[in-house]
Structure formats: structure tokens, C-alpha cells
């Protein structure tokens, strides 16, 4: 039989005021969506109508007002478990990703919360595993300092192992509920996990029955070696912030190779870069909106960070003057050229100024690729990454809300569907199903079966 054609996987990474730092200042933009239940419902339902794979809310455990000009969407937001439960109640098929930080949580609590949400959503949950990057979070959790990368990931790997064991601590048919005999639970099918490790000691069992998906899918993000290893070993999807096609291909290949090394099918690990599509009905309309957004940036045009990014000291350079000779960059390879080429593509011309390069840098400094164009141009770039070994899909980050999302859904999704790259209907109603994953056996049932065979 012919194999099923490979399909894009698309999700929304919710930035309630838009990914662009000035997205909230557009006249048509919503500014209070993060706390508006009706706004959140509308966004999730629009995604489901468009057949997106998932709705994703990131999280952070610290904030400050000085984030307002660079990262307003992430400065204040709802707690993710509460918000995802709300969205689950008004949707039916779209996957839902909740973020839980392993550095500042307990495995039993997270296992209980995630299993509960998997039930409430009908098997649509996934867990984004994060260890945290913001050192300020430590002071919010009665700690002197944030752990280093190695300690955080050692802690996280134990944490995940415990959570997954707790999910399996009830066999699927452990709850007998036999009114005639009075047997409610078959105790032989409920397990203490009795975990003893370097960081945790957890007895179990969980006080929630095995989740509908059996094992709730895991996701993670990051570019450190430990985060890559965690993703290759355990994750269904790996989120990444790649803006250069060549580097994205290298990242993609590395994760897939590591997954194979762990005995996994590389096709079961999906690489999903963040993508900021600024769509217009025409190229001219898209670039006009891009310029409008950039004109609303609140900035003092400090060129220090941009200078480091391209390896050329721009201090004193006239903002509306031409770019310096890129061959003077102190960075290896084509790092400076790649950023400039992306800014030129966004502006639609080669002769960009220092100010215009700064605008693109400010709009992408958090690591996700911003592309500007009409529906066909946006679809072309998505297809190039998808067919070129750089992505299995994308975490869509609209530059402003809700209009940026609406334009992507209304104009780009139909192009991707006509090209046979994206589904026109859901074929499943669970998160695992959207990614073609079967429901796994219970580890304790499997272990018992293996021991019986050995005897």
C-alpha cells in the first residue's frame, strides 16, 4: 500500500498581545486578551476550525515591568493549568499543551494535574517540560539561586521518570466497579512505584486513574546539549527557535540522529520551530503592516546587542545610513549575512538601513523566524523548511492578535491545504492521534507479562 503523504503539524504559541513587541499598539489589536475568557475561547475555537494540531501556552515564574517594551505578552498571563482547563471546556479535538516547570514543582502534583486535564479534555493534553531559564524565579520559591543547567536537567529527568511511572500506577481495568460483588477496585492492578532517587522519593500510586492517552505526550524546547538529549529521548515534539534554514537543518538532523540512538523511530519525534508569519493579502500590504509595527516600537535604539549579534560595532553609525561592510564581522561563518538577508527579505529590498536591521533584530530577538509576505510567499517559505529537512511543522506566533492569526488562518491555511501539505479534517481526537502515535501499554502490565514468560 502507498504510504500516507507527510503532513505539516501546526500549533499556536499564544502571545496574547502578539509576538512583535509593538503588536499591542496597533489600532485593531486586542490589549487585554490574556485575561479575557471570551478572547481565549475565540482563539482556541478558530484554531480548531482551521484543524490546528494544538493550542500552546508557555509559562514563566517571574516578571518585572521592564519587560513591557521587549516582551509584553509574557510579562503577565494566566496560570497555564487553569487556562488550559478553561479552553478544554469549549473545544473538542484540538490538542492542548500545558507547561509545568520541573525545577519548581513536585512530580506527584504534576502527575495528578496532567492526568486530570487529560480526562477533562478527552485525551487531548500534552506536557511541555521546562526547567526554567529565569534566575529570578528562585527568589519566588524560597531559594537563594537558580540551579545550573546540569543540575536542572538531572532533576528533570528524575521528575519525568516519576510522573510517567505514576501515570501507569493504575492498570486500565483496575477499576472494576462490580455492583454485584461489591468489588470496586482490583488491588492487584494498582502499583506503588516506590521510587528512590537522588532528588526524589515517591511511593505512589497516583490518586487519578491512568490517563485516557495512557502516557501523556511530552514536549520540550531549548538548544543546550541536555535539552536536545531530553527531547530526542522522551519528547513527541521539540520546539526550537531557529531563524536560519541552514542552522535549522543541522538542529533537525541532530535531534533525529539522537532519537535513533535511543532506539526510537526518528519519525516519531517532530521538530517544530517557532514561526512569526506577517501576512497580507498582497506583498505590499504585508510590508506596510511590518513598517507600521516597527514604527510603533518603543526603543532608544541602543545598538549594543545588535552589534554583538552581527560581530560589528555599530556604535555611532547613523541609523538611516547604509549597513557597514559585513566582511568586517568578527563572527565565524555567515552569521551576520544570514541576519541581514532575513531583514532584507522582510523589507522587500536589499538596500536596508541600520535602523531597518535593528527593527528586524528587535522583532526576532527572542529567537523565532519572522517572515513577511502574501499567502503564497508565506506558504513557499513554510514548504521550503518542511520539505528541506528543517521542520516537521511550526509553532505559529502571530505578530499581533487577533488579526495576525485570522489572516494566517484565512489566507495561508487554504494555500497549504491546496498543496496537500496540511489536513482539511481531523483524523483523530487526541493529542497522540494528531501525531499518529498509538496508545502505549502500561509498563507494569508489560513487566508482569514479561516476568510470567520468564518463569
Amino acid at each position: 500500500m502507498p504510504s500516507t503523504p507527510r503532513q505539516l503539524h501546526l500549533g499556536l504559541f499564544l502571545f496574547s498581545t502578539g509576538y512583535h513587541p509593538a503588536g499591542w499598539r496597533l489600532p485593531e489589536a486586542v490589549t487585554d486578551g490574556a485575561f479575557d475568557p471570551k478572547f481565549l475561547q475565540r482563539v482556541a475555537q478558530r484554531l480548531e476550525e482551521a484543524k490546528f494540531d494544538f493550542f500552546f501556552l508557555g509559562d514563566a515564574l517571574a516578571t518585572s515591568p521592564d519587560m513591557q517594551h521587549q516582551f509584553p505578552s509574557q510579562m503577565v498571563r494566566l496560570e497555564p493549568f487553569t487556562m488550559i482547563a478553561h479552553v478544554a471546556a469549549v473545544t473538542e479535538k484540538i490538542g492542548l499543551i500545558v507547561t509545568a516547570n520541573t525545577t519548581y514543582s513536585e512530580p506527584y502534583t504534576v502527575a495528578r494535574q496532567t492526568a486530570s486535564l487529560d480526562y477533562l479534555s478527552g485525551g487531548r493534553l500534552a506536557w511541555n517540560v521546562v526547567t526554567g531559564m529565569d534566575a529570578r524565579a528562585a527568589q519566588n520559591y524560597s531559594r537563594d539561586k537558580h540551579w545550573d543547567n546540569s543540575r536542572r536537567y538531572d532533576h528533570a529527568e528524575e521528575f519525568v521518570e516519576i510522573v510517567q511511572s505514576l501515570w501507569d500506577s493504575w492498570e486500565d481495568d483496575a477499576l472494576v466497579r462490580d455492583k454485584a460483588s461489591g468489588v470496586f477496585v482490583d488491588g492487584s492492578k494498582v502499583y506503588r512505584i516506590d521510587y528512590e532517587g537522588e532528588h526524589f522519593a515517591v511511593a505512589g500510586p497516583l490518586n487519578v486513574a491512568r490517563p485516557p492517552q495512557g502516557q501523556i505526550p511530552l514536549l520540550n524546547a531549548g538548544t543546550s546539549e541536555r535539552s536536545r538529549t531530553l527531547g530526542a529521548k522522551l519528547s513527541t515534539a521539540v520546539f526550537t527557535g531557529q531563524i536560519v534554514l541552514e542552522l535549522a537543518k543541522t538542529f533537525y538532523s541532530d535531534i533525529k540522529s539522537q532519537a535513533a540512538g535511543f532506539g526510537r523511530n526518528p519519525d516519531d519525534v517532530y521538530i517544530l520551530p517557532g514561526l512569526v508569519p506577517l501576512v497580507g493579502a498582497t506583498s505590499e500590504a504585508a510590508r506596510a503592516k511590518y513598517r507600521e509595527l516597527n514604527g510603533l516600537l518603543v526603543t532608544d535604539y541602543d545598538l549594543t546587542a545588535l552589534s554583538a549579534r552581527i560581530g560589528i560595532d555599530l556604535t555611532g553609525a547613523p541609523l538611516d545610513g547604509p549597513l557597514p561592510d559585513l566582511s568586517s564581522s568578527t563572527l565565524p561563518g555567515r552569521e551576520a549575512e544570514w541576519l541581514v538577508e532575513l531583514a532584507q527579505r522582510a523589507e522587500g529590498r536589499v538596500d536596508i538601513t541600520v535602523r531597518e536591521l535593528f527593527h528586524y533584530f528587535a522583532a526576532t530577538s527572542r529567537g523565532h523566524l519572522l517572515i513577511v509576505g502574501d499567502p503564497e510567499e508565506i506558504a513557499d517559505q513554510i514548504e521550503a523548511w518542511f520539505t528541506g529537512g528543517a521542520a516537521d511543522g511550526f509553532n505559529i506566533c502571530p505578530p499581533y492578535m487577533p488579526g495576525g492569526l485570522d489572516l494566517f488562518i484565512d489566507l495561508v491555511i487554504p494555500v497549504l491545504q491546496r498543496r496537500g501539505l496540511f489536513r482539511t479534517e481531523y483524523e483523530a481526537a487526541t493529542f497522540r492521534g494528531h501525531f499518529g502515535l498509538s496508545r502505549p501499554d502500561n509498563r507494569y502490565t508489560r513487566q508482569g507479562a514479561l516476568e510470567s514468560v520468564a518463569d
Side-chain angles (χ1 to χ4, degrees), residues 12-29:
L12 176 79
F13 189 173
L14 180 66
F15 293 85
S16 60
T17 62
Y19 187 83
H20 193 286
W24 66 277
R25 298 189 66 200
L26 290 172
E28 69 269 32

Side-chain angles (χ1 to χ4, degrees), residues 286-321:
R287 291 192 169 89
K289 182 62 68 175
Y290 176 62
R291 290 190 290 273
E292 182 182 3
L293 281 165
N294 291 337
L296 294 171
L297 282 167
V298 178
T299 177
D300 60 2
Y301 287 100
D302 182 346
L303 300 176
T304 304
L306 176 58
S307 297
R309 176 65 177 79
I310 66 171
I312 300 173
D313 185 4
L314 296 174
T315 304
L319 286 172
D320 295 314

Side-chain angles (χ1 to χ4, degrees), residues 325-340:
D325 181 0
L326 298 181
S327 66
S328 64
S329 173
T330 58
L331 299 179
R334 298 186 59 230
E335 290 281 342
E337 293 176 39
W338 283 330
L339 181 66
V340 169

Side-chain angles (χ1 to χ4, degrees), residues 128-449:
N128 177 41
V129 180
V130 301
T131 69
M133 295 179 60
D134 193 333
R136 297 173 302 177
Q139 298 172 11
N140 293 334
Y141 286 84
S142 304
R143 298 188 188 175
D144 294 331
K145 63 179 181 179
H146 190 53
W147 295 339
D148 63 24
N149 182 271
S150 294
R151 184 175 181 187
R152 292 201 314 273
Y153 276 94
D154 288 345
H155 187 270
E157 288 181 5
E158 274 196 26
F159 195 113
V160 170
E161 183 179 353
I162 294 165
V163 170
Q164 292 184 319
S165 296
L166 288 168
W167 286 336
D168 273 350
S169 62
W170 291 70
E171 292 191 33
D172 293 324
D173 57 353
L175 288 164
V176 178
R177 303 186 182 98
D178 186 348
K179 292 183 179 181
S181 67
V183 176
F184 193 79
V185 175
D186 181 346
S188 68
K189 296 183 177 183
V190 182
Y191 304 91
R192 288 171 58 99
I193 68 168
D194 288 324
Y195 184 93
E196 295 279 351
E198 181 180 351
H199 303 282
F200 300 103
V202 179
L206 191 63
N207 62 347
V208 181
R210 193 173 191 236
Q213 295 183 95
Q215 284 290 309
I216 294 169
L218 306 180
L219 305 96
N220 78 302
T223 57
S224 73
E225 287 301 318
R226 292 297 299 274
S227 67
R228 292 187 187 206
T229 299
L230 179 69
K233 183 178 181 181
L234 298 172
S235 291
T236 293
V238 176
F239 296 148
T240 180
Q242 304 288 335
I243 68 171
V244 175
L245 180 61
E246 290 83 352
L247 299 180
K249 289 179 179 180
T250 300
F251 181 91
Y252 185 97
S253 177
D254 176 59
I255 298 295
K256 299 283 186 172
S257 296
Q258 286 197 51
F262 286 114
R264 301 182 68 188
N265 181 348
D267 292 338
D268 289 343
V269 185
Y270 296 83
I271 314 302
L272 306 177
L275 181 68
V276 187
L278 206 167
V279 188
T282 65
S283 297
E284 293 75 17
R287 291 192 169 89
K289 182 62 68 175
Y290 176 62
R291 290 190 290 273
E292 182 182 3
L293 281 165
N294 291 337
L296 294 171
L297 282 167
V298 178
T299 177
D300 60 2
Y301 287 100
D302 182 346
L303 300 176
T304 304
L306 176 58
S307 297
R309 176 65 177 79
I310 66 171
I312 300 173
D313 185 4
L314 296 174
T315 304
L319 286 172
D320 295 314
L323 299 180
D325 181 0
L326 298 181
S327 66
S328 64
S329 173
T330 58
L331 299 179
R334 298 186 59 230
E335 290 281 342
E337 293 176 39
W338 283 330
L339 181 66
V340 169
E341 287 170 4
L342 289 170
Q344 290 169 332
R345 180 178 291 185
E347 290 286 351
R349 66 182 201 285
V350 173
D351 58 334
I352 64 171
T353 64
V354 171
R355 186 189 304 273
E356 289 166 335
L357 179 60
F358 177 88
H359 287 162
Y360 189 82
F361 172 73
T364 60
S365 61
R366 296 190 301 279
H368 297 311
L369 174 65
L370 170 67
I371 57 177
V372 182
D374 65 28
E376 295 288 344
E377 290 171 326
I378 299 293
D380 286 345
Q381 294 190 60
I382 288 173
E383 185 171 3
W385 280 57
F386 180 63
T387 60
D392 295 307
F394 294 92
N395 221 355
I396 301 299
C397 314
Y400 59 98
M401 291 290 285
L405 174 62
D406 290 335
L407 285 168
F408 182 80
I409 289 175
D410 294 339
L411 300 181
V412 179
I413 290 293
V415 177
L416 297 173
Q417 290 171 331
R418 286 197 299 271
R419 296 184 185 187
L421 297 172
F422 190 63
R423 67 170 68 86
T424 56
E425 293 294 339
Y426 284 117
E427 296 179 355
T430 67
F431 196 101
R432 297 186 72 89
H434 294 330
F435 285 84
L437 302 176
S438 59
R439 190 175 188 273
D441 293 335
N442 185 303
R443 72 192 61 203
Y444 297 110
T445 305
R446 184 172 62 245
Q447 178 181 324

Side-chain angles (χ1 to χ4, degrees), residues 35-49:
F35 305 101
D36 182 354
K38 296 298 184 183
F39 172 85
L40 297 171
Q41 290 173 16
R42 177 182 180 275
V43 168
Q45 290 166 345
R46 281 238 68 194
L47 296 171
E48 190 162 76
E49 291 165 2

Side-chain angles (χ1 to χ4, degrees), residues 50-78:
K51 316 307 177 190
F52 270 53
D53 290 78
F54 59 80
F55 176 106
F56 166 46
L57 180 67
D59 196 28
L61 301 176
T63 191
S64 62
D66 61 9
M67 297 168 64
Q68 64 176 305
H69 300 314
Q70 292 80 37
F71 213 10
S73 280
Q74 303 301 77
M75 188 170 58
V76 286
R77 49 192 159 173
L78 295 178

Side-chain angles (χ1 to χ4, degrees), residues 48 87-95 121-122 124 426 428-430 434:
E48 190 162 76
V87 171
V90 297
T91 53
E92 295 180 352
K93 291 188 176 181
I94 190 168
S121 65
R124 293 186 286 133
Y426 284 117
T430 67
H434 294 330

